[in-house]
């Protein structure tokens, strides 16, 4: 939440869809967006610690509406063992070849054939993907790699 639990956003969540789910964690962050972006990286670890047997994990902003029926339909065709993260832009914000080539050279790492950007709002993780976040060194390496790319004027979006 970017506002308090007394806010109209939280009340709207309670009155619409959030009560349809039994395993929910709410993180409040009353700060600027840049700081929120730094905080979110620890949320998958906290979700996994609280719900280690879940097949999927959903991280959403406080202004997102969830249609439970459509979400469950989407989940039905996903494999929790797949290393996958879905969200807005999954299909249409692919990282371009020239950007991947530059990123690969700067980081001295091979790039996968496809990199899809997931840009806030809603992030749907498989259990396998969330387990990768349990390794804090891996999370820090990702952050360092992004900072290195930004420092070299390589922007993934």
């Amino acid at each position: 939440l970017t506002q308090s639990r007394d806010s109209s956003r939280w009340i709207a969540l309670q009155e619409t869809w959030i009560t349809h789910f039994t395993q929910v964690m709410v993180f409040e962050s009353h700060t600027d967006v840049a700081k929120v972006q730094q905080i979110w990286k620890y949320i998958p670890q906290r979700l996994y610690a609280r719900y280690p047997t879940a097949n999927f994990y959903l991280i959403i902003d406080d202004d997102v509406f969830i249609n439970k029926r459509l979400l469950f339909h989407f989940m039905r065709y996903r494999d929790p063992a797949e290393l996958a993260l879905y969200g807005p832009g999954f299909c249409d914000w692919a990282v371009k070849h020239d950007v991947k080539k530059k990123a690969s050279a700067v980081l001295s790492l091979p790039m996968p054939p496809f990199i899809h950007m997931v840009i806030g709002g809603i992030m749907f993780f498989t259990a396998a993907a969330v387990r990768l976040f349990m390794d804090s060194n891996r999370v820090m390496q990702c952050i360092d790699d992004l900072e290195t790319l930004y420092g070299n004027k390589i922007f993934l979006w």
Side-chain angles (χ1 to χ4, degrees):
L1 291 172
T2 53
Q3 300 174 9
S4 74
R5 290 185 190 219
D6 297 328
S7 72
S8 60
R9 283 187 178 184
W10 176 249
I11 293 167
L13 294 177
Q14 287 183 307
E15 291 178 353
T16 55
W17 64 267
I18 206 162
T19 56
H20 295 284
F21 298 91
T22 59
Q23 297 179 323
V24 175
M25 290 179 73
V26 177
F27 296 91
E28 291 183 64
S29 177
H30 308 284
T31 186
D32 63 72
V33 174
K35 290 180 183 175
V36 171
Q37 296 302 318
Q38 291 300 313
I39 293 167
W40 94 263
K41 66 186 173 269
Y42 300 108
I43 293 175
Q45 291 178 342
R46 292 181 181 169
L47 287 170
Y48 185 78
R50 170 128 358 132
Y51 307 112
T53 60
N55 288 324
F56 302 102
Y57 298 84
L58 185 63
I59 299 175
I60 61 164
D61 287 350
D62 58 2
D63 58 354
V64 172
F65 177 82
I66 297 295
N67 181 311
K68 182 180 174 180
R69 183 181 57 80
L70 291 176
L71 175 64
F72 284 13
H73 178 76
F74 179 81
M75 290 168 52
R76 181 179 316 139
Y77 300 102
R78 303 297 173 259
D79 179 1
E82 178 187 15
L83 289 174
L85 165 58
Y86 302 96
F90 173 74
C91 295
D92 57 0
W93 278 53
V95 176
K96 304 297 183 234
H97 175 75
D98 61 326
V99 174
K100 285 194 307 185
K101 186 175 176 181
K102 289 177 189 175
S104 181
V106 167
L107 299 175
S108 299
L109 293 171
M111 293 288 131
F114 299 101
I115 300 174
H116 296 285
M117 298 307 301
V118 177
I119 50 167
I122 181 170
M123 294 177 284
F124 178 79
F125 293 82
T126 61
V130 163
R131 279 193 291 277
L132 289 179
F133 279 88
M134 295 309 292
D135 179 353
S136 293
N137 290 329
R138 184 184 301 260
V139 172
M140 292 310 296
Q141 182 64 50
C142 290
I143 294 165
D144 289 347
D145 288 350
L146 285 172
E147 291 297 324
T148 299
L149 292 176
Y150 297 158
N152 283 276
K153 307 278 190 260
I154 299 171
F155 303 100
L156 299 179
W157 55 85

